[in-house]
Every structure is written in C-alpha cells, then in structure tokens.
Amino acid sequence: MDISPLSNKKGTKTNISELMEDLRYMYFFIKYKSPTDEEMQRYTRLQKIFDKKKITPEEVLRKLSPSCEMMFMKCLWKGLPVKCSHLFQPTKTSEGFCCTFNSYVFKNTSIYERTAHKYPATPQRQSTCGYQTGLIALINNEVDDYYAAYVPSVGHRIRVSNPYHYADWNAMNILIATRRVNIVSILPEYTEASEEIRELPLSQRQCLYPDEKDLIYFNVYNFRSCLVECRMNITREMCNCTPHYYLPDNGRDPSIKVCNLLDIPCLATINGLY
C-alpha cells in the first residue's frame, strides 16, 4: 500500500514510524475493545488519512493481509499436485481476511464470479479416507514479517467448519507451529431430518429446513448463519452501521453504512450482547 506523507492539523508531515504504529491498532478494527483516549486519537487520525485517500479500513486490512499466493507454496489434493490458487481464495471472517478452502458462505461473491473456471459449483469431497488423499499444503510463515498478531505465537491458525457456515468465533480453532508437520483429522457427523417433520408446526419442531428461509447475504439457511445475520441486524440497529466482514464483496446496498474506525467505541459496547 502506498501512503504518501500527509499533513496534520499543525501542518507537519506525518512520521512514517508513527503511522506504522497507528496501523498496528487496525487489530482493534476486528477484535473490538473499548478504546482509551489515546487509542481514540489514533483511530481518528487514521480515519482522516483514509478519508483523504478515499480508501476504507476494509481495503487497508485487505492490503495488509498476506496474500494466498504468498502464504501457500505447494498444495496437493487427493494425492495430486494442484495450484494453490485453484484451492484457496481470500474470504472474510470475523477475524479478518483468511485463505479458505471449500467456502461457499456468501451470495454474490465476486471472487467466484471472477474465477468461476477454477472453483466447482459445490464443495469438494474426498474420495477415500486418510490424510494422504486429503488436503496437503506447504505454508510460508514469513516469520520476519510479523508485526501484530492475535496471540503471542508464530505460526498459523486453522478454522474448520461446514462449507456453508460462516467462520465466526464458534468454529473449531487449531494452532499450527512453524517448521512442523501438522496433521489435522476430522471426524464427520451427518444429521438428516426426515421429510415427515415438515408436517409439524414450527412451534413444535422449533427448526427450519434450509429451503424454508432465505438469508440476506448467505447462500444457505442454517442456524449458524442465522445467528450471524442476527448479530448484523443488532449492530445496524444500535450502531447505525454494518461491520465489513458481514458483507459480501459485491451486491451491496449503497445505502448501508459500513463501520469505520470511528464506530469502534459503539461496536465495543455491544460486543458482549451476542
């Protein structure tokens, strides 16, 4: 990202090291906490820079995040070498941009529209059991490039969830260390409701089939995505904005205000409500 020196209220140029320190506070644009007066000054200063440059905090986060091309050096799927760019794509989650495999969460996702020839229309599945035929990836950790991290550790965090579930805080988290071979096993569990349950009234069965409700931004109705949409609606009502990670890359309503750094105090206030 190219940010040229700007002038503050006193007419002096912004110090680059000071700007980098401010950018470190972008962490709290994802992990909300009530800011101190000093932190709020940093948010205000950063937001003024973004406004003058006509960029959004979301765009800055995207540029600061490592690209999937840089993160993955080699990939195998079902025992065969595959281009990592054909398996992984950047996707929004509750904790920033992640490189995801088999994610079909959002409607109108521009990533799939731009690269429809690379990704299948439905989630991919293994043909047999065993890690040899699963997803194998060689990750470049870029240890020297660490600046701000969620946890005091070097490595990566893997989130495992249903392809149609939004990857929020409830997803299974696995920390993987550097210079290690990490094997992640998954024990699948499939629950199917018979069609006879449809005949019961909603008050009695207390659940919906995926085709009985349409969500605003999510491909398939499920309980997890419904909770996420409820959080989004609560945030809109109480803070008059929507966090960027609840919105797809395109198909947005221009009347919707996307939360920026100045909205962090309100977002932090309601963070514990859901």
Side-chain angles (χ1 to χ4, degrees):
M1 179 180 59
D2 180 20
I3 299 181
S4 57
L6 299 176
S7 296
N8 59 24
K9 290 184 179 180
K10 296 182 180 180
T12 59
K13 290 184 177 179
T14 301
N15 184 279
I16 294 299
S17 61
E18 184 177 324
L19 178 59
M20 290 302 296
E21 181 66 18
D22 286 349
L23 286 174
R24 188 172 68 86
Y25 280 80
M26 290 291 292
Y27 164 85
F28 297 113
F29 188 56
I30 304 171
K31 201 82 169 179
Y32 304 127
K33 76 164 191 174
S34 297
T36 62
D37 292 340
E38 178 186 356
E39 289 169 345
M40 199 62 220
Q41 290 177 2
R42 292 181 182 272
Y43 298 152
T44 302
R45 180 167 55 196
L46 267 180
Q47 190 60 52
K48 287 181 178 179
I49 293 175
F50 296 160
D51 292 342
K52 188 166 185 177
K53 286 293 183 179
K54 297 182 179 180
I55 57 177
T56 65
E58 176 187 342
E59 292 171 323
V60 175
L61 280 178
R62 189 186 292 271
K63 290 179 180 294
L64 290 176
S65 301
S67 67
C68 297
E69 289 77 10
M70 294 172 59
M71 188 181 301
F72 294 97
M73 303 176 65
K74 185 177 181 181
C75 296
L76 286 84
W77 172 243
K78 295 184 178 181
L80 299 175
V82 182
K83 284 187 177 181
C84 297
S85 59
H86 290 194
L87 296 176
F88 292 93
Q89 63 275 348
T91 305
K92 296 176 183 179
T93 71
S94 59
E95 298 194 27
F97 292 95
C98 296
C99 297
T100 60
F101 166 70
N102 250 5
S103 176
Y104 294 80
V105 177
F106 286 111
K107 299 176 181 177
N108 302 322
T109 303
S110 60
I111 294 172
Y112 295 107
E113 294 174 359
R114 292 195 305 264
T115 56
H117 63 287
K118 295 182 182 179
Y119 305 106
T122 57
Q124 302 185 62
R125 302 175 184 273
Q126 281 186 253
S127 303
T128 59
C129 297
Y131 71 90
Q132 297 92 340
T133 61
L135 175 64
I136 300 176
L138 178 62
I139 300 177
N140 176 19
N141 286 280
E142 295 188 286
V143 176
D144 296 334
D145 194 40
Y146 271 55
Y147 187 65
Y150 277 139
V151 293
S153 176
V154 176
H156 282 76
R157 176 164 54 179
I158 298 175
R159 284 184 169 186
V160 181
S161 62
N162 185 293
Y164 294 106
H165 286 178
Y166 181 80
D168 61 2
W169 304 279
N170 294 320
M172 182 176 74
N173 284 263
I174 303 169
L175 291 177
I176 59 174
T178 60
R179 305 179 67 85
R180 296 289 189 276
V181 174
N182 300 273
I183 299 177
V184 179
S185 63
I186 299 174
L187 298 177
E189 180 177 317
Y190 183 76
T191 303
E192 184 177 8
S194 63
E195 287 297 312
E196 286 75 12
I197 297 179
R198 288 181 183 269
E199 300 177 5
L200 298 175
L202 290 178
S203 59
Q204 186 174 353
R205 56 179 156 116
Q206 297 184 2
C207 61
L208 294 172
Y209 283 85
D211 61 349
E212 291 184 319
K213 184 175 179 60
D214 186 35
L215 298 175
I216 299 175
Y217 296 124
F218 302 107
N219 262 325
V220 176
Y221 172 82
N222 53 67
F223 182 68
R224 288 273 293 278
S225 296
C226 183
L227 286 179
V228 172
E229 196 154 288
C230 285
R231 297 189 191 110
M232 180 186 70
N233 292 334
I234 291 173
T235 307
R236 283 184 183 179
E237 181 179 350
M238 302 192 70
C239 295
N240 195 32
C241 68
T242 302
H244 71 93
Y245 48 76
Y246 289 150
L247 299 168
D249 285 332
N250 64 358
R252 294 184 183 176
D253 182 348
S255 64
I256 294 175
K257 178 182 180 293
V258 182
C259 301
N260 61 30
L261 298 177
L262 302 183
D263 296 306
I264 288 180
C266 181
L267 296 173
T269 300
I270 68 170
N271 194 35
L273 295 180
Y274 44 72

